[in-house]
Amino acid sequence: MLGSVLAACALAASALAATPAEWQQRSIYQLVTDRFATSDGSSPTCDTEDRIYCGGSWQGVINQLDYIQYMGFDAIWISPIVANLEGSTGDGYSYHGYWTVDQNALNEHFGTASDLNNLATALHDRGMYLMVDIVVNHMAANTLPPDYSTLTPFNAESSFHTFCWVTDYNNQTNVEQCWLGDSNVPLVDCNTEDDGVIDFFHNWVGELRSNYSVDGFRIDTLKHVRKDFWPDFQTAAGVYAVGEVFEGDVNYVAPYTKVLDGVLDYPTYYQLTSAFESTSGSLQNLVNVVQQAQSAYENQLFTVGTFLENQDNPRFQSITTDQGLVKNAMTWPLIADGIPILYYGQEQGYTGSNDPYNREALWLSGYVIEDKPLVHHVRILNAARKAAIATSSSYLSTAVTFPSVGGNTLAVSKYPMLSLLTNVGASGTPAWDVSSGTGYSSGTELIDVLTCTTYTAGSGGSVSVTGSGGNPVILLPTGAFNTTYCSALAGTHSTSSHTVAVTFEVEYDTVYGGQ
């Protein structure tokens, strides 16, 4: 199935390649394929504790693209697509896609090659991008020692590192050459020092890209493979790739930004969660980690993936359901420097904690958009980000600054956007006085896109705002907008007597010509 040569793939990539700069314009909706939507629109029972296939498919994703696009997302990240370990294990079924047994075959639970190509086509017809999750570090077995003959294409022990469990995360050799998993499902660690293994993966990733018109890759367990493997792999991929480095230390993560286009920004994730999980969280610590990463990462934070939730970490609302805190935390990825990622179900208020509870079926929500405050919140934030991109040609290369940091308030400037965040909680009344550093001129008329309330910048561009309900305030110059659709965009938000109408537009620089 994946037997074409790399040269042919490189030729195909010249027509379809999506660069980091093109991905920067996007916002990504991450979904677990098995749990997002069924092909026939049915809503089967899906108990996360069972860890079984529930019936989601690539055709199901196609059926619900209107839902994703309604919220303003223009890229999706789907689960790994290759064939996985079959049957029940002591750790459940491989519905998530991370237990590869055959790199050269598709996971039939999700559909056919035609279905996957149809998904790519449907996305591209809408001007949207497809990101596919991939696993290079390991393959899966259900016995220890493994039966290597069950794995494809590496069916000999010599293609894998000698068995040992990863036990010491302070020992990089142990991290890179020992095995993840457990005795139920040992994750057999690929020998990525072997020339044959290296050549296979270079050809394989290029073929995935060309065969299925993939625009980007998310790479699992990046830190478990030696760093010098990744630059040539990135070249072979031919499109933007973002890697998972599951680590909160900026100094540990930073070297990976030199060998791959981007990383998932876990250091910021940890401080973001801590800052908004309660009214006593430290906003200063969030500022500190962002500034440290801006200095340490190869491209500052411009090409990282910025997120609040994913399939490996507890949902934010399993920690707190205070909607003031929730809305502020959800705001961060869409006003920060990186490429924003929203994990499916966050917009519906899902509350699952750690795996497997954070992998709920979205069809149980009914894909409701009306009277869903977080759906509207995300939709407006996506629109505001697009408006900022359209307004300023340097927006995506402008690093966030922090003109004001108080005990419970934070001002985040990324001109032309000024975001006022708070962790006072839903019962609190935040107030911000930002005397300088906004980038605005005196007298600039501003609009809070979340409420359509207008303000006027004071002397030197200063801004003073009193909020309500612990909600964030997102300011943009009113002159950046057409004045037509504010009330429709803002849904049922209350407005002040100074409301103006706005619409948010952006034209993408995309290889598919979509807007």
Side-chain angles (χ1 to χ4, degrees), residues 69-85:
Q69 201 168 31
Y70 173 84
M71 291 181 287
F73 292 101
D74 38 30
I76 67 168
W77 154 11
I78 64 173
S79 305
I81 63 176
V82 299
N84 266 229
L85 192 67

Side-chain angles (χ1 to χ4, degrees), residues 231-248:
D232 288 342
F233 184 86
Q234 172 76 82
T235 299
V239 290
Y240 172 75
V242 60
E244 176 204 32
V245 184
F246 203 149
E247 171 62 53

Side-chain angles (χ1 to χ4, degrees), residues 194-497:
D194 180 82
D195 287 342
V197 172
I198 294 169
D199 289 344
F200 169 80
F201 276 122
H202 286 177
N203 282 273
W204 172 81
V205 73
E207 290 166 3
L208 283 183
R209 179 201 63 234
S210 63
N211 288 352
Y212 303 112
S213 302
V214 177
D215 304 293
F217 293 104
R218 181 266 188 183
I219 304 174
D220 188 60
T221 53
L222 192 77
K223 73 177 184 180
H224 292 277
V225 177
R226 59 188 173 89
K227 295 181 185 70
D228 57 1
F229 172 88
W230 295 116
D232 288 342
F233 184 86
Q234 172 76 82
T235 299
V239 290
Y240 172 75
V242 60
E244 176 204 32
V245 184
F246 203 149
E247 171 62 53
D249 182 354
V250 168
N251 291 326
Y252 183 94
V253 174
Y256 292 93
T257 69
K258 302 180 188 301
V259 299
L260 203 70
D261 287 336
V263 296
L264 296 176
D265 188 22
Y266 262 101
T268 299
Y269 156 79
Y270 284 115
Q271 294 304 326
L272 173 64
T273 300
S274 178
F276 292 105
E277 68 183 1
S278 73
T279 57
S280 60
S282 173
L283 298 174
Q284 185 62 59
N285 286 348
L286 174 61
V287 171
N288 292 346
V289 76
V290 170
Q291 291 176 333
Q292 184 185 3
Q294 286 174 332
S295 297
Y297 289 1
E298 180 72 7
N299 296 308
Q300 299 187 60
L301 286 159
F302 297 129
T303 59
V304 303
T306 306
F307 65 97
L308 176 65
E309 293 180 3
N310 64 29
Q311 81 285 0
D312 289 324
N313 299 102
R315 290 188 181 275
F316 189 73
Q317 289 207 64
S318 72
I319 302 171
T320 179
T321 56
D322 181 302
Q323 292 304 290
L325 297 173
V326 169
K327 287 181 179 179
N328 277 271
M330 286 180 66
T331 296
W332 174 262
L334 285 150
I335 58 95
D337 288 341
I339 301 168
I341 302 169
L342 184 131
Y343 184 52
Y344 85 107
Q346 189 176 347
E347 75 282 2
Q348 293 288 344
Y350 276 14
T351 60
S353 56
N354 272 313
D355 169 23
Y357 303 103
N358 58 357
R359 301 175 180 184
E360 309 97 317
L362 194 64
W363 52 78
L364 299 178
S365 75
Y367 310 98
V368 174
I369 58 176
E370 297 300 326
D371 300 319
K372 284 288 185 174
L374 296 183
V375 170
H376 289 288
H377 186 66
V378 172
R379 186 182 188 213
I380 295 169
L381 290 172
N382 261 321
R385 182 175 185 268
K386 290 175 174 62
I389 293 170
T391 300
S392 172
S393 61
S394 59
Y395 179 79
L396 293 173
S397 59
T398 297
V400 296
T401 59
F402 304 96
S404 175
V405 186
N408 291 105
T409 60
L410 173 65
V412 184
S413 178
K414 187 176 174 68
Y415 186 83
M417 184 183 290
L418 179 67
S419 302
L420 306 178
L421 306 183
T422 180
N423 63 3
V424 298
S427 61
T429 303
W432 299 267
D433 287 299
V434 186
S435 60
S436 62
T438 65
Y440 302 135
S441 301
S442 301
T444 301
E445 187 179 62
L446 305 169
I447 184 168
D448 173 15
V449 301
L450 297 175
T451 63
C452 297
T453 304
T454 56
Y455 301 89
T456 301
S459 176
S462 61
V463 173
S464 294
V465 174
T466 299
S468 64
N471 289 312
V473 173
I474 309 299
L475 299 174
L476 287 166
T478 57
F481 304 101
N482 296 325
T483 55
T484 311
Y485 302 113
C486 183
S487 59
L489 183 63
T492 59
H493 287 296
S494 61
T495 61
S496 76
S497 59

Side-chain angles (χ1 to χ4, degrees), residues 103 139 148 150-156 159-160 190 196-197 200-201:
Q103 298 280 13
M139 299 182 73
Y148 292 98
T150 64
L151 304 178
T152 302
F154 313 129
N155 56 11
S159 295
F160 301 92
C190 297
V197 172
F200 169 80
F201 276 122

Side-chain angles (χ1 to χ4, degrees), residues 14-171:
S14 66
L16 298 175
T19 66
E22 288 168 326
W23 273 94
Q24 276 186 270
Q25 302 174 54
R26 305 281 160 161
S27 59
I28 303 169
Y29 187 83
Q30 179 198 355
L31 58 92
V32 174
T33 302
D34 180 66
R35 302 298 169 82
F36 180 68
T38 59
S39 296
D40 61 2
S42 61
S43 300
T45 300
C46 183
D47 188 335
T48 56
E49 281 191 295
D50 292 340
R51 301 181 188 232
I52 62 174
Y53 282 96
C54 287
S57 66
W58 296 319
Q59 181 58 51
V61 178
I62 295 172
N63 296 344
Q64 291 296 337
L65 288 181
D66 282 350
Y67 172 79
I68 297 172
Q69 201 168 31
Y70 173 84
M71 291 181 287
F73 292 101
D74 38 30
I76 67 168
W77 154 11
I78 64 173
S79 305
I81 63 176
V82 299
N84 266 229
L85 192 67
E86 288 291 342
S88 180
T89 71
D91 297 329
Y93 288 73
S94 57
Y95 67 91
H96 43 71
Y98 295 101
W99 295 344
T100 304
V101 294
D102 188 345
Q103 298 280 13
N104 290 331
L106 294 178
N107 189 329
E108 294 180 354
H109 292 272
F110 301 153
T112 65
S114 178
D115 293 332
L116 184 54
N117 276 310
N118 288 342
L119 174 57
T121 298
L123 288 164
H124 296 158
D125 286 347
R126 294 167 178 255
M128 300 173 72
Y129 279 175
L130 172 64
M131 175 175 282
V132 171
D133 209 329
I134 57 175
V135 184
V136 171
N137 175 68
H138 56 260
M139 299 182 73
N142 57 8
T143 61
L144 190 64
D147 178 358
Y148 292 98
S149 68
T150 64
L151 304 178
T152 302
F154 313 129
N155 56 11
E157 186 173 358
S158 60
S159 295
F160 301 92
H161 290 130
T162 302
F163 169 71
C164 56
W165 293 122
V166 175
T167 56
D168 183 1
Y169 280 90
N170 294 313
N171 180 332

